[in-house]
Amino acid sequence: MTTGQVTEALVELVTDTDWEDLPGNAREITRQTIGNAAALAVGAASHEAAETVVRTLRRLGRSGATGVLGRDERWSPFDAAALMGLAIHVEDFDDTHLPTVLHPGPVIVPAALAAALSCGEDGRRVARAVALGTEVAVRLGNGICPDHFDRGWHVTGTTGHVGAAVAAGVVLGLDPERLRHAIAIAATQAAGLTEALGTMTKALHPGRAAAHGVQAAVLAGRGLTGPDEPLIGPGSFAHLTSPRVDPAAMLAGAGHRWELELNAFKPYACGIVSHPVLDAAVSLRGAVGPDRIDRVEVVVNPVVLAVMGKTDPRSGLESKFSVYHCFAVGFLDGAGGPPEFSDARAVASDVRALRSRVNVVTTPEVPKGAAQVSVVDVDGREYRTDVTHATGSAERPMTAEQLSAKATALVRPVLGDRTAEFLERAFALDDEASPASWVELSSPSNDPDGVVS
Amino acid sequence: MTVTEELTTALWERANDSGAPPDESLAVVLATGLTAAVLGRHADAVDLAVEVGAQYGGVGRSTVPGRYESLDPVAAATATGVAVTLGGLTVRDEALDLDALAPLTAAVWSVGTDRDRPLGEWLRALEAGLAAQRAIAAAMQPDHARDGWDASTTTAVLGCAYAAGHLVGCGPRDLAQVVGVAASQSLGMGSAVGTPLGLFHRGKAAAHAVLSAYLVEQGFTGSTRVLEAPRGWFAVMMGDASRAEGVVSGRSATDGLTLGSAGRGRASAPCSAAGMDQVMATASPSATAVAAALLDTLTRPGATASDLLTTLTEAKA
């Protein structure tokens, strides 16, 4: 492969790789990516942001035949992909390719699934599409991050567009030339600003990327063409959006080393760079009563304040980007799931009181995945915890049991007794003959007893 | 007051000042854009946009000027933008190397027909959109295009957000949020210009802005300081958030704009009724009559969207 033809090389990687060609661990990570995303799609299907999008779609007169995980309505495959992508991402509880900080699940899974539902493809095709869409998105990210992200681009929304187009293109069976054009159609729309963190728009990024990915595959399938090399070179995606572009990093080891294996699953529903602080807060819980805390000293990498610097968030969405809030709920509640990042907890008096006593100091000497946290009580006693690798990191990944427990907690309130069957099929979607019937199982009205337990 | 707040407040106040009627030059721009859409409406790329919009979009009250398919305003914006692009007419700010015609025509037309807003409001929306796009582009050009972006598309996402936001009735804060949501859907790689994909750029810019306005109308939230924020529009597009300081809120919508034709005559003329006649004469045999009829309707006091649709039907006949 030559670095001068990155798009062609990535297309070749996609068209040359069947599901069975992937190493066992890559297939397992793909299954987990799908299962984790599906659980989030169901768990957050009725989130306020999703309901807002549904009202908008209704106002636009939209409808269709494609189901959506966790909802009863049917939409076009574009809108179905957008809705699922938004729901999977809105709780900031999804997954992360740690080298790029890209969240593949909310972009690639809905694109592949919506495309499959629109044409009746089976689960194995979806799984292959998720694996290859993820691989392309994160490889593209490897060549431009962290500079791309540091500039303000939300990489999930940007390279996610390209990965979603690949995923949908694989499902729809595009030939190599049309797949290249699908990539181009998606790439020119690749967008998403990290200024949107803390607003509903952040979750719109993967939703729109997924929708545009499916749309790009459909348009390319009907003959729309773009530039031959949309990813690299003057006026093309990478050079427009990053001051540093490394084509070699995009292609290094392609076909032999699978970047998708670095996708990790989030134990907490907030920005990932705060996870070590949350780990520390949970571990310090009980050392001293919250009323006896004089101050909390947190030492972290500068990226933490750059992304998570909201000192007094006023909503659940904002609280997900507050390292102060992360410490407070970790210490007070001993957890960091969606309930701890609700609108109510964002403005709760006990949380606000503790947040106000958190001091954050940054230094590049502390790695991004680490934190040093000290709680000093009113008598001057200090309780300290150092976290070198957070739960959910590459060094301390969530176990299969932890991931299963997370998924169950998300899905059970919506699906009740159907939870086990739904998740069993979700985490083995590559064996699923009918993704449509699996999606149907997640419809809230599809409750055999008429009551969700 | 931040840059985004200042620009948004100024544009909102101007658009909602019920005093003087909109300047005729705004009607000239819109008549030119709609004429271009009529001229380009049967191109293959428009057929593709309509086909996909009809199959996957909603059933709405909008369409492509001169066509019959019922489309939702987002799909109509895409297809109309493609049609205007292929119609071969331009409205250029030469100093900024900017052609604002296709996206703003598409945004104003698609929302205006969907909401059945009075034509005077269409022109006020167009004024806000043009002024915003030129004010923002003035702080970016020529560097932005030199960087490889299709500047007429990227800045149009924001201009169209102001136009669509006005037509759905946003107050200043919601208008800023529409811009915030739209900015996160920017598009326009320079490498796509000259390919069939490039024909979709301006329509997509309008469509993304229209969707943003409809989302915010339903309560969707976005940044209200997206231009100047450390990781906002100018930071990602220019690599320098401080470039937002170059946005001048009081910029005129139409002063210095030039009408043009890429057709047989390749004419250009000032943005006036006379200039429009001059350009249309070189565009196509039917263009002059269509544009004149549209201009007459757009400048008629109290005229409505229905009047404009009637004019288009008669003009086609």
Side-chain angles (χ1 to χ4, degrees):
Chain A
M1 293 175 187
T2 64
T3 55
Q5 295 166 315
V6 167
T7 306
E8 187 178 330
L10 291 173
V11 166
E12 189 180 313
L13 172 67
V14 170
T15 53
D16 285 355
T17 307
D18 286 327
W19 173 245
E20 294 77 10
D21 297 331
L22 292 165
N25 188 51
R27 292 202 300 271
E28 186 54 29
I29 294 291
T30 301
R31 292 187 188 102
Q32 292 182 333
T33 300
I34 295 169
N36 183 60
L40 284 156
V42 171
S46 297
H47 190 281
E48 181 188 0
E51 295 294 350
T52 307
V53 172
V54 166
R55 286 196 302 275
T56 305
L57 295 177
R58 287 186 178 132
R59 176 66 185 80
L60 290 167
R62 299 278 177 90
S63 61
T66 305
V68 170
L69 287 165
R71 296 195 67 98
D72 290 331
E73 312 96 340
R74 289 171 181 269
W75 306 99
S76 76
F78 306 164
D79 293 335
L83 262 174
M84 289 191 283
L86 179 138
I88 294 166
H89 193 55
V90 74
E91 292 287 9
D92 269 291
F93 201 19
D94 39 24
D95 53 2
T96 311
H97 174 256
L98 295 160
T100 57
V101 203
L102 189 151
H103 309 293
V107 189
I108 313 299
V109 173
L113 183 57
L117 293 172
S118 74
C119 65
E121 279 295 343
D122 64 18
R124 180 148 305 198
R125 183 73 76 99
V126 174
R128 175 177 173 240
V130 170
L132 295 170
T134 300
E135 187 68 14
V136 168
V138 298
R139 281 187 167 278
L140 186 53
N142 280 346
I144 54 178
C145 288
D147 308 64
H148 175 80
F149 189 88
D150 291 346
R151 194 164 185 173
W153 291 106
H154 188 200
V155 65
T156 300
T158 57
T159 71
H161 264 81
V162 175
V166 167
V170 166
V171 171
L172 298 180
L174 297 186
D175 63 31
E177 184 179 353
R178 291 189 183 212
L179 189 58
R180 182 160 49 83
H181 291 304
I183 288 173
I185 296 165
T188 198
Q189 300 180 82
L193 279 55
T194 51
E195 165 58 16
L197 269 57
T199 74
M200 293 180 185
T201 301
K202 177 173 185 272
L204 189 68
H205 297 162
R208 290 289 273 169
H212 287 156
V214 181
Q215 189 182 57
V218 167
L219 286 168
R222 296 185 188 191
L224 185 62
T225 59
D228 287 340
E229 178 49 87
L231 300 179
I232 298 293
S236 295
F237 169 76
H239 283 90
L240 286 170
T241 61
S242 178
R244 182 195 65 87
V245 178
D246 183 355
M250 296 176 187
L251 302 179
H256 306 289
R257 179 171 58 75
W258 293 91
E259 275 291 314
L260 67 88
E261 294 185 54
L262 298 179
N263 194 30
F265 305 98
K266 296 175 77 170
Y268 303 123
C270 59
I272 194 165
V273 294
S274 274
H275 287 199
V277 174
L278 241 157
D279 269 351
V282 171
S283 74
L284 286 165
R285 190 169 187 250
V288 59
D291 293 342
R292 291 189 50 76
I293 293 177
D294 177 66
R295 65 186 187 278
V296 180
E297 304 289 352
V298 175
V299 184
V300 287
N301 186 274
V303 73
V304 176
L305 273 193
V307 177
M308 306 285 297
K310 294 183 188 297
T311 54
D312 191 23
R314 310 301 296 174
S315 69
L317 288 177
E318 285 189 359
S319 73
K320 293 172 180 295
F321 298 95
S322 169
V323 65
Y324 307 92
H325 185 86
C326 288
F327 177 85
V329 293
F331 190 89
L332 292 168
D333 303 341
E340 287 70 45
F341 293 93
S342 62
D343 288 346
R345 286 309 271 160
V347 297
S349 57
D350 61 334
V351 174
R352 295 189 73 196
L354 184 51
R355 279 193 319 230
S356 69
R357 280 175 271 161
V358 176
N359 305 308
V360 179
V361 175
T362 65
T363 170
E365 291 173 10
V366 176
K368 287 180 186 173
Q372 300 164 3
V373 180
S374 298
V375 173
V376 181
D377 71 15
V378 291
D379 297 325
R381 278 190 292 267
E382 180 178 343
Y383 307 87
R384 174 170 169 159
T385 292
D386 289 0
V387 175
T388 49
H389 300 294
T391 310
S393 64
E395 294 78 7
R396 289 178 60 201
M398 289 182 80
T399 64
E401 292 73 25
Q402 288 173 321
L403 191 57
S404 176
K406 170 189 170 184
T408 300
L410 285 163
V411 173
R412 186 166 291 284
V414 182
L415 298 188
D417 290 344
R418 288 171 287 156
T419 299
E421 181 189 350
F422 174 78
L423 289 177
E424 187 178 335
R425 291 168 71 176
F427 280 91
L429 200 72
D430 53 306
D431 287 334
E432 182 67 49
S434 172
S437 75
W438 168 67
V439 171
E440 185 70 21
L441 179 67
S442 76
S443 168
S445 64
N446 186 21
D447 183 354
D449 301 322
V451 180
V452 171
S453 57
Chain B
M1 201 180 265
T2 67
V3 173
T4 307
E5 284 175 340
E6 189 176 332
L7 179 65
T8 304
T9 302
L11 292 170
W12 185 86
E13 287 177 349
R14 196 191 310 178
N16 289 279
D17 174 7
S18 57
D23 192 272
E24 186 191 52
S25 60
L26 293 163
V28 168
V29 171
L30 193 52
T32 302
L34 294 173
T35 303
V38 171
L39 295 176
R41 71 189 189 280
H42 290 311
D44 289 347
V46 182
D47 286 343
L48 177 58
V50 168
E51 178 186 307
V52 171
Q55 182 176 350
Y56 297 107
V59 177
R61 289 193 293 186
S62 198
T63 185
V64 175
R67 291 184 65 131
Y68 62 86
E69 300 91 346
S70 294
L71 300 172
D72 72 56
V74 176
T78 301
T80 300
V82 178
V84 178
T85 300
L86 286 163
L89 302 172
T90 58
V91 170
R92 291 187 56 79
D93 182 328
E94 297 294 353
L96 297 176
D97 192 16
L98 206 68
D99 175 12
L101 187 62
L104 281 165
T105 300
V108 170
W109 162 265
S110 60
V111 183
T113 48
D114 184 59
R115 298 300 174 99
D116 199 18
R117 298 298 310 273
L119 296 185
E121 293 305 313
W122 292 35
L123 298 180
R124 294 193 185 284
L126 178 66
E127 182 176 31
L130 269 171
Q133 185 175 1
R134 297 177 80 191
I136 292 164
M140 301 176 80
Q141 288 285 70
D143 299 346
H144 186 53
R146 277 191 204 134
D147 287 343
W149 290 98
D150 175 8
S152 294
T153 295
T154 56
T155 58
V157 175
L158 304 186
C160 290
Y162 280 102
H166 175 74
L167 284 170
V168 303
C170 287
R173 181 174 170 76
D174 279 355
L175 194 53
Q177 292 206 86
V178 173
V179 178
V181 179
S184 253
Q185 300 174 73
S186 55
L187 80 156
M189 298 190 317
S191 64
V193 175
T195 73
L197 174 59
L199 300 173
F200 279 70
H201 270 182
R202 314 284 164 88
K204 279 291 205 175
H208 293 185
V210 170
L211 178 64
S212 301
Y214 279 60
L215 280 167
V216 170
E217 183 185 34
Q218 296 297 330
F220 208 77
T221 59
S223 169
T224 55
R225 50 162 207 165
V226 78
L227 295 178
E228 70 279 4
R231 292 174 182 233
W233 170 266
F234 277 87
V236 300
M237 288 293 186
M238 306 294 294
D240 181 0
S242 72
R243 290 285 293 260
E245 299 298 327
V247 174
V248 180
S249 296
R251 198 174 178 93
S252 158
T254 55
D255 282 358
L257 288 181
T258 305
L259 306 181
S261 164
R264 288 168 301 171
R266 289 190 176 277
S268 65
C271 186
S272 64
M276 187 178 78
D277 283 346
Q278 193 181 328
V279 166
M280 293 300 167
T282 68
S284 96
S286 60
T288 302
V290 173
L294 288 167
L295 182 61
D296 181 62
T297 304
L298 287 165
T299 52
R300 191 187 313 151
T304 65
S306 299
D307 296 327
L308 195 65
L309 291 168
T310 302
T311 301
L312 275 167
T313 303
E314 291 171 351
K316 271 200 309 170

